[in-house]
Amino acid sequence: MLADVPAEPVTRETVPPFTESKHHAPRENQVAPVTAMAQHDTSTPLPDTNDGVRIAYANQPERNVGFVDNVVITSQYTAWNFVPLFLFHQFSRFANFYFLVVSVLQMVPAITITNGIPYSLAPLSFVLFFDAIVTAQEDYNRHKADDHDNGKPCSAVRDGSVQRVAWRDLRVGDMVKVQRGQVLPADIVFLCAVSDDGEASDVCYVQTAQLDGETNLKLRSTLQVCSPYRGARSPMLTTHIACRLLP
């Protein structure tokens, strides 16, 4: 499979342990292959891609420039921006903003009826403080979950051999080997599957419960242009994939 790292964080798909294949095709409504695994002369540059088509080169990391990494981030805050972002989100709510305005008006000598004491500020501060503790705890748990997922190992081709790398270290153009029952580490294009008896296949079954809640198996098959790579044993393929983002 050829890794194609998306620009936005994604939910991982899982290949069920009872499937008959090891790999699967790219996720629905994400990236539509326009030309898959087409042979090309690496010395000849491909046409300009200003029409929205992006090109990923297999096993040629020096040519895959301008892509984002494979790090998944689901957290909203960091230690540096928590206070300003949290206050911005809280005072974007009408109720919190209303009590903030009331507290300010209570300190204006010309209109105050509380002798300049902002009585509304105490309950507002208590609510914000309690909400800040809960929000910080939840976001901390997201950071830990992200670190756990980004550090999971997977098998990718590097320097002509299959090596174990972390999910965060996957690059666009990596050839990825996925075993039965594993969670896919990135958006990938299905090239070939191998059954237990060593026979190559161009179909597999996947489960997308984490995406759409459906637990039934979905059939995925390779594109016809990928047929020459069915059963190929050499991981050093000289190919490229042209993709267009779906609207």
Side-chain angles (χ1 to χ4, degrees):
M1 294 185 181
L2 184 63
D4 184 12
V5 182
E8 296 292 335
V10 297
T11 305
R12 315 291 186 176
E13 291 183 0
T14 306
V15 181
F18 46 88
T19 57
E20 294 300 327
S21 304
K22 298 180 180 178
H23 311 291
H24 77 82
R27 180 172 309 158
E28 293 181 354
N29 65 35
Q30 287 292 328
V31 178
V34 179
T35 304
M37 306 307 295
Q39 285 287 97
H40 74 283
D41 183 1
T42 57
S43 62
T44 303
L46 291 174
D48 189 8
T49 58
N50 292 332
D51 57 351
V53 176
R54 62 180 184 180
I55 299 175
Y57 298 90
N59 296 315
Q60 301 174 75
E62 69 282 354
R63 305 189 68 180
N64 294 317
V65 296
F67 291 96
V68 298
D69 54 33
N70 196 43
V71 176
V72 174
I73 300 177
T74 61
S75 58
Q76 294 181 322
Y77 307 98
T78 66
W80 303 104
N81 65 16
F82 177 78
V83 173
L85 277 182
F86 173 78
L87 293 178
F88 173 79
H89 292 155
Q90 290 299 315
F91 289 120
S92 296
R93 302 176 179 176
F94 175 79
N96 291 341
F97 183 74
Y98 170 79
F99 283 106
L100 176 64
V101 172
V102 170
S103 300
V104 172
L105 294 178
Q106 287 177 340
M107 294 185 291
V108 179
I111 59 175
T112 183
I113 59 175
T114 60
N115 296 323
I117 302 176
Y119 287 110
S120 299
L121 190 61
L124 176 62
S125 300
F126 174 79
V127 171
L128 293 180
F129 179 75
F130 179 79
D131 200 358
I133 294 178
V134 174
T135 302
Q137 180 64 36
E138 292 177 348
D139 206 63
Y140 176 71
N141 292 335
R142 293 192 191 100
H143 277 284
K144 293 198 300 183
D146 291 343
D147 290 339
H148 178 265
D149 287 341
N150 292 324
K152 288 182 179 179
C154 63
S155 300
V157 175
R158 296 288 174 84
D159 300 324
S161 62
V162 179
Q163 303 178 10
R164 301 286 283 177
V165 299
W167 281 11
R168 62 167 58 92
D169 297 326
L170 275 182
R171 303 170 301 196
V172 173
D174 279 344
M175 307 291 291
V176 182
K177 180 181 180 181
V178 182
Q179 300 291 343
R180 177 184 302 176
Q182 284 186 341
V183 179
L184 298 181
D187 281 352
I188 56 181
V189 176
F190 176 38
L191 297 181
C192 181
V194 181
S195 60
D196 291 337
D197 56 6
E199 182 179 353
S201 173
D202 57 0
V203 297
C204 69
Y205 295 90
V206 297
Q207 188 183 80
T208 59
Q210 295 182 1
L211 295 177
D212 50 25
E214 297 183 5
T215 57
N216 59 302
L217 298 179
K218 297 180 175 64
L219 178 66
R220 294 291 185 267
S221 59
T222 62
L223 297 177
Q224 185 176 2
V225 73
C226 298
S227 299
Y229 306 100
R230 178 178 172 180
R233 297 300 179 181
S234 175
M236 295 305 295
L237 298 177
T238 305
T239 63
H240 76 271
I241 290 181
C243 305
R244 188 193 307 274
L245 292 179
L246 292 178

